[in-house]
Amino acid sequence: MENRSFYNEILTEHNVHPEFKHDLPDADIVLEGVNPNCGDDIWLKLKTDGDTITDGAFVGDGCAISQASADIMLGMIIGKKKEDALKLGDVFLKMIKGEASEEEIESLEEASALRDISHMPARVKCAVLGWHTLSEALNGKEKK
């Protein structure tokens, strides 16, 4: 029970005081992610230098889970190579599907707070919105 409370605190903190929810006008990768089921709508904005993500932000509206997940994700990927960011995304999606090992889940740090979402099917798309948008953006589907 104590763990669940700790996870709720992490999600609440990222939703109420997101570090990366702001505009990034000089982003070179921009892509909108939409969850039509509940109306979550984010614009993921990344700044890169070669193969490294040097800065990132998101704007938009959505439920607490989508907003917290996007904020946590950005905190994890800024400063990483694109390939490493995509690998983190793969591990996150494995965790949500219930297929990740404990070691993989631990590698997700704060994002592991979303591990119980797999038991709430209606909220899965909220949790993965930022991660799916990241994958599409880094695989060349961005709009500028």
Side-chain angles (χ1 to χ4, degrees):
M1 191 66 175
E2 196 174 302
N3 262 352
R4 181 162 288 174
S5 175
F6 177 67
Y7 290 148
N8 287 338
E9 286 176 30
I10 291 171
L11 295 177
T12 300
E13 182 61 26
H14 280 279
N15 186 51
V16 176
H17 303 290
E19 184 177 350
F20 300 101
K21 188 172 184 178
H22 56 83
D23 196 17
L24 190 63
D26 56 348
D28 53 301
I29 298 176
V30 177
L31 185 66
E32 182 179 27
V34 178
N35 176 359
N37 292 343
C38 67
D40 295 337
D41 185 1
I42 66 166
W43 282 91
L44 180 64
K45 301 180 175 210
L46 303 173
K47 199 171 171 182
T48 59
D49 182 8
D51 222 21
T52 303
I53 300 166
T54 58
D55 201 359
F58 74 103
V59 294
D61 296 302
C63 70
I65 292 171
S66 73
Q67 302 296 286
S69 183
D71 196 58
I72 291 168
M73 176 195 75
L74 282 160
M76 294 177 66
I77 66 164
I78 293 171
K80 298 239 185 311
K81 300 276 185 199
K82 293 177 185 177
E83 179 183 330
D84 295 332
L86 290 169
K87 286 179 186 172
L88 283 171
D90 290 342
V91 173
F92 183 83
L93 295 174
K94 278 178 68 175
M95 177 187 73
I96 295 298
K97 293 177 187 173
E99 299 170 356
S101 69
E102 278 304 312
E103 186 179 317
E104 288 174 315
I105 292 170
E106 286 177 21
S107 76
L108 292 173
E109 301 168 3
E110 281 189 324
S112 67
L114 292 154
R115 74 186 300 172
D116 288 337
I117 295 295
S118 61
H119 304 298
M120 298 178 260
R123 304 315 301 254
V124 166
K125 287 185 179 180
C126 305
V128 301
L129 177 62
W131 295 93
H132 277 306
T133 307
L134 173 70
S135 177
E136 289 180 9
L138 294 182
N139 286 312
K141 295 179 174 70
E142 77 270 9
K143 300 171 192 168
K144 185 70 178 163

